[in-house]
Structures are given as structure tokens and as C-alpha cells.
Amino acid sequence: MKRVNSKSIYCINILLSLFSCIRKESDIPSYKPENCDTIIKTEDSIINYATIVAVGDIMVHRWQMQRALNVTDSTFDFSHSFQYIKPILNDADFAVGNLETTFAGKNQGRNNNIYGYSCFPYFNAPEAMADELKNAGFDLFSTANNHSLDSKLSGLRNTLDILDSVGLHHVGTYRNEEESDSLCIIPINDIKVGFIGCTQSLNGNRLKKSDDFSVDEFVKQDSAKIAALSEKIRKMKRKGADAVIVIVHFGTEYQLTPNRRQKQIAKAFAEAGADVILGSHPHILQNIEKYTINKEGKEKNVLVAYSLGNFISSQVQRDSLLKDVGAILKFRLKKSPDGISIDQLSAMPTYTYWTRQEIGVVPLIKAYHNRKAYPFLTQRGKRDIKNSKHQTLEILTVSIDEKYEIDTISGFINFVLEHPLQLTP
């Protein structure tokens, strides 16, 4: 967690001549306003906010490793990858994504043909990438995806050890049954947010019955496993989670629209109590929508992003610029006496650029309108950004029944919510 920012904490039911107490602090689990003990009698008078950003697939291919390698000492430096996005991640209270590689260790993967590491079909990235992800501003990753077992169970476990060592939270894969049974509920500005990671595929890998706990998966859309994940969502709510975010790896690669199974799974998780569903796996963007369910005659909203695309990769299998386009989804949770809601919603299209020296991420809209800010972009990069802009905007806005404004300076598409998305029925 990067910063704690309780932005509008009000002391109500007092005379207008008195003051309200607003305070900012860092790295504290909870907040108690100073000088307000005699004014605020209950927590009902406090409003809390937590801004969360989410990205899609983070992958490490050969070409990223080649550019990150220091040939003099065989170390890797991936700091160039996120230098133009880092301020966006750090400005949020919490940043999450899908980690689609293992950190098994040098010469410890199934293949070791790239300086002791490997990419497709068995991903195993240098541990230096984990350090840079933390440095870039990330806080939590789902490690449940079709590449979770690329370095076998030993690689899965070592990946979690590496993430722990750099201070990154993780969900979706586990070293033991105790971890698998635990619930990841993290207080962010006094809002308790639960996180779940899960996947529809393990690329044909099978776990022994004794190791079933290792991955939260629903391969072949196993109804019993979907039911178990749904119960995990309900359990989080019973344990006090104000909101539950499910990071789910599903869908069909390179398809622009979610398939029937994605919608069925999203519906099941939404009805179980999920508040935000963040999709990955197609490697290109799919639409974002507001899903509404009725509970006891009251409406509850669920924010669903079916696929946030590739955040960073160097995929070349498909001759399509769409694999280089992803999005950062940004939303603000509001906790008030009226319940939990999303009162701010934005999306930033991103583009993965290539040069001879580096592969990194830039804000797509900002790069389109201010190319001088990114003079290193190649002619192909400029062309790709121009050609993808319209389609990207359409995909990200077509299913959200809200007006939006484009901020060409920041690169965000800001949705003008007529009413907050009410997560509490």
C-alpha cells in the first residue's frame, strides 16, 4: 500500500463555526481524527475513500530480457519498463494485476534457454522483475492463470517466496493448505477489501488430489469449483470485507468480446457477492460493464472488466497491434453510512512500445495527443497508437451507460457517473 489518504472525513452535527478534521498520513492501518473525540461519537459520521488501479496481463518474453540484460555482470534491469506509468500506479492507494510468469529461479524452470530463464510456452522470468514491479507501485498480484504451473509446483512455491521477499501480496496460488484456506482481506484507508484470484485453465497441467489446494481453478468450468469460489466470496463478506474484488483469468485469446462462459462465471461471482470482477487472459481489451442484480428488492451494482488486455509483454505470435494495447482501470471506493459504492471511475488505455534499447508502457491517449513527450517512439509505434485509438475508446466505453470525458493531458477516460455505483444492496 503506497499511501493512506482519507480525503473527506467530516465532523458532522457541529456548529458551522467549528472546524472539520482532515489529515493525511502514510502506512498506518487505520485513522482516528485528532481533536475530534468529543465531536465524533460514532464511526457512522466518517466517510472513507480508497482509490484502486488494476491492470491486465504482465508477461516477460525473450525480447524484454534481452533489453534488460547487463552483459557485464549478467544482471537484469527492468526499470525502463514502467517509468512512464509509475506515477499513475503510485498516485493510487492500491495497485493490482495478473502476474503471468513464474519466478522459479535461474536454471530452475522447465526450459532455461534465455540466460537461464524462459518464456513461451513455459514462463520463468528473472527475479529482478519482481523488484521492479514493487518499485513501480504494485501492491498485489493474482498468480492464478494458465501459466501458474509453468515451472511445476516448486516454481509456483518459489514465485510466492520471491513476491513475499519484495513485499508484494498475492492471491490464487498457495504453498500449503493453510494458505489456501486463508482469506486475503486488506484494509485500505479503513475500507476492508477482499481479494480472490482464480483461473479457468492450467494449460493441460493436472494437479494430484493431494495438491489440489495449490491453485484456485475451475478448469472446464467445473461447477463444484465455481461454487467453492463463490462460497469464498460469501465467507469474505461474513468475515467483514466491505468489498470483494475477484481477479479471474478466463475467456478466449484474441477475442474482442467476452464469450458466454465468461458472462456465466461473472454472473455467478456477482450473485455470490463480488463487487468488482477484473478479467485477464484474452491478451487484448474487452468491454467494461455495470452488472446489476436484485437482492431482497434492492439493486446492487457490480463492475465487470472482462479483459484489461496486456499491460506489458512482447508477444509476436499475432500480427496485431491490439496485443500491445491494454488499460489501467481506476475506481474509487467510498464507504459511508449509506454503504459501499464506487463514486469515481476511469480507464487509461496503454501502449507497449518497442525500441532497440527497451520495451515499456506509455499512456496511449497522452502519447497520441503529445507525441513530443515520447520522442523515442518509432514510426511504427506512432502509427499503431494512431490506428488503435478509436477502436480502444469504443471498446472501453461501449458497455458503460455513462457519459465520459477524455483528458488528453493525463490520458484517462473519465466516466461522469450520474449516480455512484452502489455496491451495497
Side-chain angles (χ1 to χ4, degrees), residues 162-174:
I162 293 296
L163 294 178
D164 285 343
S165 72
V166 300
L168 286 165
H169 299 282
H170 45 81
V171 292
T173 62
Y174 312 98

Side-chain angles (χ1 to χ4, degrees), residues 405-416:
E405 298 172 347
I406 299 174
D407 185 340
T408 59
I409 296 175
S410 70
F412 271 106
I413 305 165
N414 298 315
F415 294 97
V416 184

Side-chain angles (χ1 to χ4, degrees), residues 96-133:
V96 305
N98 170 58
L99 182 64
E100 199 150 5
T101 185
T102 63
F103 296 124
K106 188 174 182 178
N107 296 320
Q108 298 301 310
R110 297 195 198 201
N111 288 341
N112 305 300
N113 57 337
I114 309 172
Y115 319 119
Y117 298 94
S118 60
C119 62
F120 185 84
Y122 301 117
F123 285 90
N124 179 30
E127 300 89 325
M129 176 56 98
D131 285 292
E132 189 50 44
L133 290 168

Side-chain angles (χ1 to χ4, degrees), residues 47-66:
I47 299 176
N48 296 102
Y49 297 94
T51 300
I52 298 174
V53 293
V55 306
D57 299 316
I58 295 173
M59 311 182 79
V60 184
H61 290 84
R62 172 190 300 273
W63 298 273
Q64 290 153 272
M65 289 188 244
Q66 287 175 344

Side-chain angles (χ1 to χ4, degrees), residues 283-425:
H283 299 303
I284 63 175
L285 286 174
Q286 293 180 347
N287 59 292
I288 303 166
E289 69 179 24
K290 177 181 70 175
Y291 184 73
T292 303
I293 59 177
N294 288 295
K295 281 199 169 185
E296 299 175 356
K298 296 181 180 180
E299 285 191 349
K300 167 185 164 55
N301 297 132
V302 181
L303 181 64
V304 183
Y306 285 103
S307 173
L308 291 172
N310 281 341
F311 181 60
I312 191 166
S313 78
S314 44
Q315 285 184 302
V316 296
Q317 295 97 325
R318 295 268 176 157
D319 186 19
S320 167
L321 62 92
L322 293 173
K323 65 178 174 53
D324 292 324
V325 176
I328 300 174
L329 185 67
K330 179 179 178 181
F331 54 93
R332 188 171 78 167
L333 296 175
K334 176 183 177 182
K335 181 179 180 181
S336 73
D338 295 326
I340 305 293
S341 62
I342 292 174
D343 72 334
Q344 291 184 3
L345 177 63
S346 305
M348 172 185 280
T350 59
Y351 175 74
T352 299
Y353 67 89
W354 295 47
T355 71
R356 291 183 178 180
Q357 293 76 36
E358 61 191 46
I359 294 174
V361 186
V362 295
L364 188 148
I365 292 175
K366 185 176 180 179
Y368 176 84
H369 288 278
N370 186 10
R371 296 178 186 178
K372 291 182 179 179
Y374 308 101
F376 51 84
L377 290 174
T378 63
Q379 287 300 117
R380 177 179 177 177
K382 294 175 184 177
R383 184 180 68 249
D384 285 352
I385 288 171
K386 179 181 178 181
N387 291 345
S388 64
K389 177 177 175 283
H390 177 76
Q391 185 178 22
T392 299
L393 284 171
E394 184 177 5
I395 291 170
L396 292 174
T397 61
V398 67
S399 298
I400 294 286
D401 189 21
E402 305 283 353
K403 295 180 181 179
Y404 63 89
E405 298 172 347
I406 299 174
D407 185 340
T408 59
I409 296 175
S410 70
F412 271 106
I413 305 165
N414 298 315
F415 294 97
V416 184
L417 300 180
E418 186 174 349
H419 302 287
L421 305 184
Q422 196 64 38
L423 305 181
T424 306

Side-chain angles (χ1 to χ4, degrees), residues 122-184:
Y122 301 117
F123 285 90
N124 179 30
E127 300 89 325
M129 176 56 98
D131 285 292
E132 189 50 44
L133 290 168
K134 176 64 176 180
N135 184 53
F138 284 102
D139 296 286
L140 177 146
F141 288 108
S142 172
T143 48
N145 51 66
N146 55 309
H147 292 285
S148 295
L149 295 172
D150 277 8
S151 300
K152 302 183 180 180
L153 278 175
S154 60
L156 179 153
R157 293 164 184 154
N158 199 69
T159 299
L160 303 184
D161 291 342
I162 293 296
L163 294 178
D164 285 343
S165 72
V166 300
L168 286 165
H169 299 282
H170 45 81
V171 292
T173 62
Y174 312 98
R175 287 164 287 212
N176 52 57
E177 291 191 63
E178 184 180 0
E179 281 188 347
S180 178
D181 292 337
S182 65
L183 301 177
C184 181

